[in-house]
Amino acid sequence: MVKLGTVSAPLRVAIIGSGPAGFYAAERLQKEKRLVVEIDMFERLPTPFGLVRGGVAPDHQKIKSVTSLYDRIARKPGFHFYGNVEFGVDITHEDLLHFYHAIIYAVGAQSDRRLNIPGEDLPGSHSATEFVAWYNGHPDFRDREFDLSQESVAVVGVGNVAIDVARVLLRTPAELARTDIADYALEALSNSNVRRVYVLGRRGPAQAAFTNAEIKELGEMEGAECIVDPKDLELDPLSEAYLESGADPVAEKNVQVLAVYARQPAGKKPRQLILRFLVSPVEILGTDHVEAIRVVHNELYAAEDGTLRPRATGQYEEIPVGLVFRSVGYHGVPLPGVPFYDRWGVIPNDRGRVLTEHGTGSLVIGEYAVGWIKRGPTGVIGTNRPDAIETVELLLEDLRAGRLLSPPEPSREAMERLLAERGIRYVTYEDWLVIDELEQQAGQALGRPRLKFCSVEEMLEALAEAGQALPVEE
Ligand code: NAP
């Protein structure tokens, strides 16, 4: 029998999704000594890099430079990118079983968690994920509308996404103009009336989910100041003991930075970001549009697992706002033909090996998960590297044990033939490099890092104009 992973029988792996987790999985496969591997990465959009392009805030350009590593991975022999190919629509689970020895799901968490409170669906109440995708030029979200004529906004949640949303809402037009924010969002935000953004945490400052660099940055906005009520920093004995234990240096530093904001005199800058703690939204009020958010004040108690949880006190407050963004976490969506555990929004798995069911399920041979669809929406970009390594090492263990799929046609040509038969106009990595160059050139002319194409049609037209040979003519 021919040994899999050799020149005569390359290991064929399909990676679904082209965000950080997918690229780190590819990197680990490429690093395996003496393994001959063909990696085909499928992506729904014509553009690679997932949340690095569509999620990372536009004023965080430095973070985006991680794509230079992904670029090196994509250029390695044996790696092919198939953009504009949607899993479950253009290519199915069944199809992949025909062409690959292993499938790695790296699709992230594409939806959001809800608050489940009355008024959540009123016009003017949105998920932060929609707003983030909109200002980052994600083609599916470019037509969303946000009523930026409002002066006051509430952002629910105190994670890094909430901080991103609040900061982008309060940046000056000049600050935004230095970024790669979508053109239409730059215009809308430059004409925005937003003056006040309340960021609402249900627990105390010592339990906030944001990280140090992100909270420090709020002190450096050109036209907005960060306001913290000193009373909110009077810690309860449980939080105080937690910080004093030294177990959480990030929380300790967060509280120190917040104390600096609490001491600063307010009113120096025209716009305000007001951080509030120990409040939970109970209702979004309004008749045909958001008019206010009703919150209950909380106190903390120690739950059985030792974590400090919020408990309502019975004291309520209404904060007048015309726009609400809920930023309480992302949530995965199921893929056709792939097991899913709805409660956590993940593919059930054991350290990355897909299971038929959460907890008690049996192994699904040859199928793996990495990133947010494996562990849930936590951690920063770099967290996905050890996460992907863990999964790929199990895949390699399965390869050595002969526990992978036995596809009837393990051939890239055969897979491409299928896409061609279906008239799928896929975008190669070379095509992406053309789009990338065009975006950067257009940005340079305006002193911006890039000017994004925000629709699939625009991207395909630009490729056609650039004379890029597309695999299939429409
Ligand atoms: P997150 O860090 O999990 O924060 C979610 C926030 O929502 C928490 O403050 C949480 O409070 C709160 N929350 C949850 N349910 C709630 C409810 N029912 N009512 C009120 N508040 C509620 O999620 P995220 O901000 O979406 O970020 C996702 C991941 O991406 C994180 O790991 C984040 O660090 C990362 N990220 C990083 C950056 C960066 O590095 N600059 C930027 C963006 C995102 P509790 O703690 O009380 O549950």
Side-chain angles (χ1 to χ4, degrees):
M1 210 174 96
V2 196
K3 195 170 165 230
L4 196 56
T6 55
V7 176
S8 54
L11 173 71
R12 291 195 28 79
V13 181
I15 299 181
I16 316 301
S18 66
F23 272 100
Y24 291 127
E27 180 191 40
R28 178 61 189 89
L29 282 166
Q30 289 172 342
K31 281 197 168 158
E32 183 66 7
K33 284 201 185 87
R34 290 185 290 278
L35 177 72
V36 181
V37 57
E38 288 181 2
I39 301 168
D40 291 350
M41 180 178 271
F42 294 92
E43 165 61 53
R44 194 163 70 84
L45 294 175
T47 51
F49 309 142
L51 278 186
V52 178
R53 180 177 167 100
V56 171
D59 56 344
H60 282 174
Q61 288 299 309
K62 238 172 148 176
I63 295 182
K64 295 186 188 223
S65 60
V66 69
T67 57
S68 58
L69 166 70
Y70 307 156
D71 180 67
R72 287 199 293 279
I73 296 166
R75 289 169 193 260
K76 291 234 162 92
F79 182 102
H80 278 214
F81 175 74
Y82 297 92
N84 204 27
V85 181
E86 185 169 355
F87 177 85
V89 177
D90 301 320
I91 196 152
T92 64
H93 176 251
E94 208 54 28
D95 297 329
L96 295 183
L97 299 181
H98 198 81
F99 303 121
Y100 296 93
H101 301 104
I103 307 167
I104 301 177
Y105 301 106
V107 294
Q110 295 169 46
S111 181
D112 55 275
R113 292 182 51 211
R114 291 179 62 83
L115 290 168
N116 298 317
I117 57 170
E120 195 168 356
D121 294 318
L122 268 176
S125 164
H126 309 270
S127 73
T129 55
E130 269 176 81
F131 186 60
V132 168
W134 172 78
Y135 64 60
N136 276 323
H138 189 299
D140 294 352
F141 295 84
R142 56 173 288 155
D143 295 326
R144 295 296 158 97
E145 282 176 15
F146 302 95
D147 181 6
L148 300 172
S149 70
Q150 301 295 332
E151 283 202 3
S152 298
V153 180
V155 181
V156 181
V158 282
N160 282 330
V161 171
I163 298 300
D164 281 350
V165 164
R167 203 180 60 249
V168 168
L169 280 166
L170 293 168
R171 285 282 191 203
T172 62
E175 283 174 311
L176 292 175
R178 296 196 281 270
T179 75
D180 67 352
I181 191 165
D183 230 18
Y184 54 77
L186 176 60
E187 196 190 326
L189 286 162
S190 298
N191 295 316
S192 144
N193 272 341
V194 173
R195 292 286 168 276
R196 222 166 293 107
V197 178
Y198 296 91
V199 180
L200 310 177
R202 65 177 167 178
R203 297 190 286 161
Q207 291 80 34
F210 47 66
T211 41
N212 299 158
E214 285 66 28
I215 194 70
K216 275 193 210 149
E217 199 182 0
L218 296 184
E220 294 153 13
M221 294 184 287
E222 282 174 13
E225 58 196 3
C226 182
I227 296 183
V228 180
D229 185 342
K231 277 209 196 87
D232 268 353
L233 294 181
E234 288 168 11
L235 298 183
D236 59 289
L238 292 170
S239 297
E240 218 160 71
Y242 174 67
L243 287 191
E244 274 168 16
S245 73
D248 191 341
V250 174
E252 231 178 297
K253 186 78 196 159
N254 277 346
V255 173
Q256 284 167 12
V257 176
L258 294 174
V260 173
Y261 296 150
R263 284 196 294 271
Q264 279 168 359
K268 292 223 161 134
K269 293 182 182 170
R271 293 173 164 193
Q272 302 184 324
L273 189 158
I274 302 153
L275 272 168
R276 295 282 312 269
F277 293 98
L278 291 168
V279 285
S280 279
V282 288
E283 185 171 2
I284 298 175
L285 305 164
T287 38
D288 48 13
H289 194 281
V290 172
E291 288 166 25
I293 187 164
R294 188 167 150 81
V295 298
V296 64
H297 289 227
N298 295 328
E299 60 187 8
L300 295 177
Y301 71 97
E304 269 176 24
D305 64 0
T307 57
L308 296 183
R309 307 299 313 157
R311 180 163 57 199
T313 59
Q315 187 195 340
Y316 292 87
E317 179 187 348
E318 276 177 26
I319 306 173
V321 291
L323 204 52
V324 172
F325 293 105
R326 59 172 188 278
S327 183
V328 295
Y330 286 76
H331 194 82
V333 294
L335 292 171
V338 183
F340 191 66
Y341 182 51
D342 193 44
R343 197 157 157 238
W344 292 2
V346 299
I347 295 175
N349 70 87
D350 176 13
R351 291 164 295 154
R353 283 185 177 119
V354 174
L355 299 175
T356 51
E357 264 178 77
H358 176 69
T360 53
S362 51
L363 228 58
V364 179
I365 299 290
E367 300 191 34
Y368 303 86
V370 292
W372 280 5
I373 200 64
K374 166 186 171 185
R375 68 173 194 276
T378 59
V380 293
I381 292 172
T383 314
N384 294 298
R385 190 183 228 160
D387 173 296
I389 289 174
E390 175 186 57
T391 297
V392 173
E393 289 185 347
L394 292 177
L395 186 161
L396 294 168
E397 195 180 294
D398 293 343
L399 166 69
R400 288 189 289 272
R403 261 196 314 255
L404 293 181
L405 294 163
S406 309
E409 235 181 331
S411 140
R412 185 172 270 153
E413 290 66 36
M415 189 281 293
E416 288 187 358
R417 233 179 1 256
L418 180 82
L419 292 182
E421 276 162 26
R422 291 187 181 158
I424 311 297
R425 189 189 245 210
Y426 61 84
V427 169
T428 64
Y429 198 73
E430 291 66 36
D431 291 335
W432 153 248
L433 293 177
V434 173
I435 294 174
D436 185 33
E437 183 60 30
L438 288 171
E439 286 189 343
Q440 291 193 45
Q441 275 173 10
Q444 246 168 32
L446 301 165
R448 303 183 55 194
R450 71 172 63 234
L451 192 59
K452 282 182 178 173
F453 289 108
C454 301
S455 87
V456 173
E457 294 73 36
E458 273 171 22
M459 293 180 211
L460 296 182
E461 272 166 28
L463 282 178
E465 268 172 39
Q468 194 71 4
L470 289 166
V472 180
E473 285 306 316
E474 274 183 334

